Amino acid sequence: MQRPVPTRRKSETNVQSIIREDKSSVQVLLRALSLLEILAEDDKGYRLIDLAERTGLPASTVHRILTTLEQKRFVCFQRERALWYIGAQCFSVGAVFGGRRQLTELATPSMRRLRDVSGETVQLGCVDEQDMLLLLQVQSREVMHAASRPGDRSPLACTAMGKAVLAAMPDSEISAFVQHGGLQRLTPQSIARSTALHSELEEVRRVGYAIDNEETWLGVRCVAAAILDELSMPVAALAVVGSTLRVTMQRMEELGRNAILAAREISVAFGGRPDCAVLPHRGSAHAVPRPRT
């Protein structure tokens, strides 16, 4: 006797189709976001074949996603050169984040004064996942100067701005950061051991500013201080960036003091507390001593 073949109820079929559709939609979304991230890396544009190679996707799939993004103005296509670019809608959406509480606008006057005092490029950044995201840059007037683009990212532990923010975290959060691959070696100077990171962050808490001694780029040094909100939580950081020929180790204390003053000005304008350079180490009974100004 032939056994009857079990049939799925209509509701079960609908659930399975929804799951398949949902997974497909998420996959397309992730691919579209990856394409936007690649296009944002270079304002000179990308050919379709280059995008297909970077993503590992068929050119037809990449083209289908790009044309959909083009309809919503997230990307644009220059037909004369057959190049794809990031679109105006990305700026419109990103501007909402960049202008959150008008941090960049509030920071600009202090950044310009710090640029004039130090003679070097001044940068403003915030934390995004395990990276420091560059929000704004005021370039030095020197012919040779450090230059990056807003939107550029660097690993937290390699940058002075990142270390200034990390110094505000408790050891448990720093340990979790390290365990999730937070220590990346970009140069021979980069911090590669958690013990070295903890030791350096203790020094940042003591003096109120952090240093990047050729840890992100060889030949470039930075000094940074954290910007605090009304709860003394770090919302961003400010850095002086320049060539090792001009930003010498002998200038670190002077530049650090100026960075702290500028960071405090921005903190006050942002509605934060100016009473300390960085957040005291949580769990410690002692506040971070302020550098003499």
Side-chain angles (χ1 to χ4, degrees), residues 51-267:
L51 291 170
E53 184 176 359
R54 282 286 302 274
T55 58
L57 297 172
S60 58
T61 300
V62 175
H63 186 263
R64 185 167 62 253
I65 295 172
L66 288 173
T67 52
T68 302
L69 291 171
E70 184 182 25
Q71 292 174 12
K72 302 296 290 183
R73 300 192 305 116
F74 281 96
V75 303
C76 59
F77 182 59
Q78 189 181 74
R79 284 164 177 76
E80 295 80 7
R81 302 178 62 189
L83 291 174
W84 290 92
Y85 296 86
I86 206 76
Q89 188 64 17
C90 285
F91 175 80
S92 298
V93 173
V96 176
F97 170 76
R100 185 175 57 187
R101 291 186 69 176
Q102 302 175 330
L103 177 59
T104 54
E105 181 179 342
L106 292 172
T108 300
S110 297
M111 292 177 68
R112 287 174 176 164
R113 285 192 291 271
L114 182 56
R115 184 269 314 274
D116 294 340
V117 168
S118 66
E120 304 298 337
T121 295
V122 176
Q123 296 179 343
L124 176 73
C126 70
V127 175
D128 183 36
E129 297 293 335
Q130 292 194 325
D131 293 333
M132 180 57 67
L133 177 67
L134 181 61
L135 298 176
L136 181 65
Q137 177 173 262
V138 177
Q139 289 189 346
S140 168
R141 292 191 174 94
E142 297 286 343
V143 175
M144 298 293 293
H145 58 262
S148 300
R149 295 189 312 161
D152 284 353
R153 313 168 73 94
S154 300
L156 281 180
C158 294
T159 67
M161 286 193 290
K163 284 185 278 190
V165 173
L166 282 171
M169 298 181 181
D171 287 340
S172 59
E173 290 186 21
I174 297 169
S175 296
F177 163 78
V178 173
Q179 290 168 10
H180 284 83
L183 297 183
Q184 301 180 39
R185 186 179 285 276
L186 299 185
T187 76
Q189 297 285 87
S190 302
I191 297 176
R193 297 184 180 181
S194 60
T195 52
L197 177 62
H198 283 286
S199 176
E200 182 149 349
L201 295 182
E202 284 297 335
E203 179 65 10
V204 175
R205 293 164 182 148
R206 186 183 72 82
V207 300
Y209 59 86
I211 293 173
D212 166 4
N213 184 19
E214 300 185 84
E215 296 162 53
T216 306
W217 299 97
L218 291 176
V220 176
R221 285 198 186 99
C222 313
V223 58
I227 296 169
L228 310 177
D229 64 12
E230 62 275 11
L231 300 176
S232 290
M233 298 296 293
V235 293
L238 189 73
V240 177
V241 186
S243 163
T244 53
L245 296 176
R246 293 195 305 267
V247 181
T248 62
M249 294 305 295
Q250 289 72 26
R251 294 187 65 196
M252 286 296 103
E253 183 176 354
E254 170 203 348
L255 293 174
R257 185 165 55 245
N258 290 331
I260 290 171
L261 289 172
R264 286 178 181 167
E265 288 179 355
I266 299 170
S267 296

